[in-house]
Amino acid sequence: VCSEKSSQYLEGVDWKKAKVLDLRIRQGQFSPTYLGIYTDQPYLLNIENADDIDHSFMAFDFFRAIAVAGVSADGSDFQEIKCLAGVTIPPKTKTSLRLVAVRDGTYEFDNSSIINYLAMIGSGGGFITVEPGRRVVKSSVEQPVLFDYKPVVIQRERIKINKFDSSEDQSL
């Protein structure tokens, strides 16, 4: 979300409570190749380059679906950056992004330069799926509040069966 509106999604976020996502690039390949996140949740995405050369995390559409609060290169202070198409991670370093997903969908990421990314020549990428937020039940005691239901009561009935040999009550 590259606009002034992105700050509304970041307002009041406690980054100490953000879920940490670790992504590693080794021999030009990302691990893991799939990440799943939820909208309206804060995340700290750490991208480690374990190789001896620069690598990139290119995710043009993904960066249009999130609000970025800042980027930190190799442990430095977070710098505010509103619009990104990707980040370059120098050798043997880690780049971290503070983000909140705004729009759900499935987005590709790749290890390419901007030229290769725009030409759709990619390598070693993966996917990020952003799902709408869900309510998490903290205990089984809270579970019934998720459903609007009425209990079913089963009662025994006494009926009379007319038989020629007896006229006793039978229970079902």
Side-chain angles (χ1 to χ4, degrees):
V1 178
C2 282
S3 69
E4 292 76 41
K5 286 184 178 182
S6 65
S7 60
Q8 78 185 26
Y9 300 106
L10 304 170
E11 202 171 289
V13 172
D14 183 355
W15 292 107
K16 292 176 182 146
K17 294 182 180 179
K19 183 173 180 182
V20 176
L21 302 170
D22 291 315
L23 197 58
R24 186 171 189 254
I25 307 170
R26 179 72 179 121
Q27 297 178 344
Q29 302 293 313
F30 285 98
S31 177
T33 57
Y34 171 79
L35 295 172
I37 64 175
Y38 294 102
T39 57
D40 304 318
Q41 301 286 323
Y43 292 93
L44 177 64
L45 175 59
N46 297 317
I47 308 166
E48 176 191 2
N49 179 357
D51 283 339
D52 296 327
I53 61 171
D54 284 354
H55 284 293
S56 298
F57 175 81
M58 299 301 298
F60 187 79
D61 293 331
F62 174 67
F63 283 114
R64 298 300 170 265
I66 64 171
V68 178
V71 178
S72 169
D74 206 25
S76 65
D77 289 340
F78 280 88
Q79 302 298 312
E80 184 177 327
I81 297 175
K82 296 273 185 210
C83 291
L84 294 170
V87 293
T88 299
I89 303 97
K92 306 290 185 190
T93 65
K94 186 185 295 184
T95 296
S96 300
L97 294 97
R98 289 178 174 167
L99 62 96
V100 173
V102 174
R103 195 174 8 203
D104 61 339
T106 299
Y107 305 96
E108 288 185 64
F109 61 87
D110 204 348
N111 175 25
S112 297
S113 68
I114 188 73
I115 303 298
N116 288 344
Y117 184 80
L118 294 174
M120 298 167 120
I121 303 170
S123 63
F127 296 91
I128 299 172
T129 298
V130 179
E131 294 184 38
R134 295 189 177 150
R135 181 171 175 210
V136 177
V137 177
K138 295 178 184 166
S139 76
S140 59
V141 175
E142 293 181 26
Q143 187 71 24
V145 299
L146 295 178
F147 306 101
D148 183 19
Y149 71 92
K150 294 182 174 102
V152 176
V153 178
I154 301 174
Q155 296 179 350
R156 297 182 108 189
E157 276 187 45
R158 292 202 170 271
I159 61 169
K160 288 191 175 200
I161 300 175
N162 290 327
K163 291 187 176 180
F164 293 114
D165 52 78
S166 100
S167 61
E168 294 180 22
D169 286 347
Q170 300 278 333
S171 285
L172 295 178

